Amino acid sequence: GGPVRHHTLRGINNALDIHNRHLARLHGLNTSKKVDHFPGVHMQEVRNQKVNLYLRLAQHFLDAKRIIEAIVVLEFLLDKEGKLPRGKISVVHLLLATAYTKKRLYRCANELIEHMQKIAQEKKNAPNFNVPGAENVSFNAEFTPILGVSPSEVVKTREFVTLCAKNAYSLGRFSNSTLWTRISMRMSDSNPASLTLGQRGNLHYRMGKILQGVILSELITLNLGNKSGFIANFPNTAECMREFDQAYTYFDKVEDQVHIAKTLSRIVETYLHVAFTTVGLLGQPIDSLTIWLDSAGFRPEGCDLK
């Protein structure tokens, strides 16, 4: 909103003034008045330092979950896109799309993501996800906000891939989200030391959530008028359960009780979707799921559903 933008930008300007006065003292200049330029210092260097200050501030706001303030800073930078140093425009785009996603402004984030892909595809060696085999492109670029990153490289960073996976999931684009998440998994497999056990658990948890979304969408589109042989039309939950099981294993290793609980909740929720469809919508007895649960490996031996 207006007040947040006003106070945030005023704080930025104050910080920049302090920064400029510090530079002025280093160059022996008078600091009793506002300083905008420094003899013997290239103005591009000054602009770079200013932009870096903005980016550090935006990253601080993101880390502190002060998303609105991060958006204000990054949109302020975006307004000056034509004056930004080379390599910093892609950083602003990526951080702003991340902030939009955290604020659940998924369509705004998606517009930026598509804009970044469009720019990248105009460059050499950038991946084009509109052609078969694009998922086999090498994704190994480093994301360094202060140093900057080129448009063709930013789309190959782990941060961009993760952002695309999360945003596609939130928009219900499960096939796209699956593609991006598999790329994330491949990146971690090629460099095992790059992720902690908890981060690996999060990858499998995200894939499980995607597959759970697919299962729910398939249940929603079932032909409820055909009650004979309905079990055969139920979605296969095996792959989804494998991902959640793998996520649970990693979370258990690092004793992440919060994500352990979330994973178990997702597993139960998935089976409850099937049970509700059977009993609540199809009007079938719960024990009619016996064969399906056996095939899914869920029902413990000797368990009587009645």
Side-chain angles (χ1 to χ4, degrees):
V4 174
R5 178 179 175 84
H6 171 74
H7 289 298
T8 301
L9 293 181
R10 186 175 66 179
I12 293 172
N13 289 330
N14 289 340
L16 286 174
D17 187 43
I18 294 171
H19 179 67
N20 286 349
R21 289 175 187 275
H22 173 68
L23 284 178
R25 283 195 297 271
L26 291 178
H27 290 86
L29 300 178
N30 180 13
T31 60
S32 62
K33 57 182 180 179
K34 186 175 180 179
V35 181
D36 290 316
H37 65 280
F38 312 92
V41 180
H42 198 285
M43 287 307 298
Q44 184 63 41
E45 179 185 347
V46 176
R47 283 194 291 270
N48 280 343
Q49 292 186 16
K50 286 184 177 181
V51 172
N52 287 342
L53 183 60
Y54 282 120
L55 291 175
R56 285 192 182 99
L57 186 60
Q59 188 65 65
H60 165 73
F61 284 145
L62 285 174
D63 294 340
K65 301 186 189 309
R66 295 164 63 180
I67 310 303
I68 292 294
E69 289 144 304
I71 290 174
V72 168
V73 174
L74 293 164
E75 286 184 343
F76 175 77
L77 282 175
L78 198 61
D79 289 340
K80 302 179 179 296
E81 184 171 337
K83 298 181 180 179
L84 292 179
R86 178 180 295 180
K88 298 299 173 68
I89 296 175
S90 298
V91 175
V92 173
H93 285 163
L94 182 54
L95 291 180
L96 184 55
T98 301
Y100 282 152
T101 299
K102 288 180 179 291
K103 200 60 184 175
R104 300 186 179 184
L105 300 172
Y106 302 122
R107 299 201 178 280
C108 293
N110 191 62
E111 287 179 7
L112 262 182
I113 289 171
E114 290 179 348
H115 178 66
M116 294 168 68
Q117 288 178 311
K118 181 180 178 182
I119 294 175
Q121 286 166 10
E122 294 172 355
K123 308 295 181 180
K124 187 177 180 180
N125 296 328
N128 181 354
F129 285 95
N130 295 320
V131 299
E135 67 275 12
N136 296 320
V137 175
S138 175
F139 288 80
N140 54 10
E142 294 292 329
F143 179 61
T144 50
I146 302 305
L147 295 179
V149 59
S150 69
S152 59
E153 290 298 301
V154 73
V155 296
K156 298 179 183 179
T157 61
R158 184 185 304 280
E159 290 77 7
F160 181 80
V161 170
T162 301
L163 172 65
C164 289
K166 290 180 177 179
N167 199 63
Y169 171 79
S170 299
L171 289 172
R173 301 172 180 175
F174 299 127
S175 59
N176 285 351
S177 188
T178 300
L179 169 66
W180 287 111
T181 303
R182 293 202 185 283
I183 290 172
S184 291
M185 289 179 168
R186 200 183 72 228
M187 291 172 74
S188 65
D189 289 341
S190 63
N191 186 11
S194 65
L195 290 183
T196 65
L197 292 177
Q199 289 171 327
R200 288 180 177 274
N202 278 321
L203 270 179
H204 289 283
Y205 180 73
R206 188 193 312 148
M207 181 61 82
K209 287 203 307 180
I210 295 167
L211 296 172
Q212 183 191 40
V214 173
I215 290 169
L216 181 57
S217 64
E218 290 180 3
L219 286 172
I220 291 173
T221 56
L222 275 178
N223 180 6
L224 299 182
N226 180 18
K227 296 185 179 181
S228 60
F230 68 94
I231 291 293
N233 297 321
F234 273 6
N236 189 337
T237 61
E239 187 178 0
C240 175
M241 292 302 108
R242 279 196 298 270
E243 294 297 339
F244 281 139
D245 182 63
Q246 190 66 60
Y248 179 93
T249 300
Y250 282 120
F251 293 144
D252 185 52
K253 288 181 182 297
V254 296
E255 299 182 349
D256 186 341
Q257 299 301 323
V258 172
H259 277 94
I260 286 175
K262 285 184 175 182
T263 304
L264 293 175
S265 175
R266 288 277 179 176
I267 292 172
V268 173
E269 186 181 54
T270 303
Y271 285 116
L272 283 178
H273 284 318
V274 176
F276 175 76
T277 301
T278 302
V279 180
L281 299 181
L282 293 174
Q284 301 295 315
I286 189 64
D287 59 355
S288 63
L289 282 174
T290 301
I291 297 176
W292 181 83
L293 288 173
D294 284 341
S295 65
F298 176 77
R299 191 169 70 96
E301 185 177 353
C303 174
D304 188 350
L305 289 176
K306 294 181 181 179

